[in-house]
Amino acid sequence: WLFWLTFDGMRSAAEVSVPTLMVHSDGCVFPEYAKAVYAALTGPKQIEWTKGNQIDFNDQEDQVGSAVPLAVSHFRRTLGVDQMVSATR
């Protein structure tokens, strides 16, 4: 817990230039802090503000069901998965 409670994501946020997807909600831990970290990111970024509590995104159908397609789309777009699949056919 000590590492988690003392981690300062803001200090490094401005150095993050890789494409980033954040899925968060007002019911998750520190929503205002998450918005501030998102604002400080310097690379391509997308934030999806949804509903749910912190652990709902681990195993609740509504939250997982909405987050997974966002992640799949993000990785396909940023890693060029569709282009890699097409090239192997």
Side-chain angles (χ1 to χ4, degrees), residues 50-67:
T50 66
K51 295 183 181 195
N53 293 316
Q54 183 71 19
I55 60 171
D56 290 346
F57 292 90
N58 296 337
D59 60 7
Q60 296 302 305
E61 187 174 347
D62 287 346
Q63 285 72 29
V64 173
S66 65

Side-chain angles (χ1 to χ4, degrees), residues 1-18:
W1 285 97
L2 181 62
F3 176 78
W4 185 80
L5 291 172
T6 59
F7 178 75
D8 181 7
M10 280 302 296
R11 187 171 64 182
S12 302
E15 298 173 23
V16 177
S17 60
V18 297

Side-chain angles (χ1 to χ4, degrees), residues 51-85:
K51 295 183 181 195
N53 293 316
Q54 183 71 19
I55 60 171
D56 290 346
F57 292 90
N58 296 337
D59 60 7
Q60 296 302 305
E61 187 174 347
D62 287 346
Q63 285 72 29
V64 173
S66 65
V68 168
L70 292 168
V72 168
S73 176
H74 169 78
F75 287 120
R76 280 190 169 150
R77 185 174 56 256
T78 60
L79 298 177
V81 172
D82 290 332
Q83 291 84 358
M84 288 188 287
V85 171

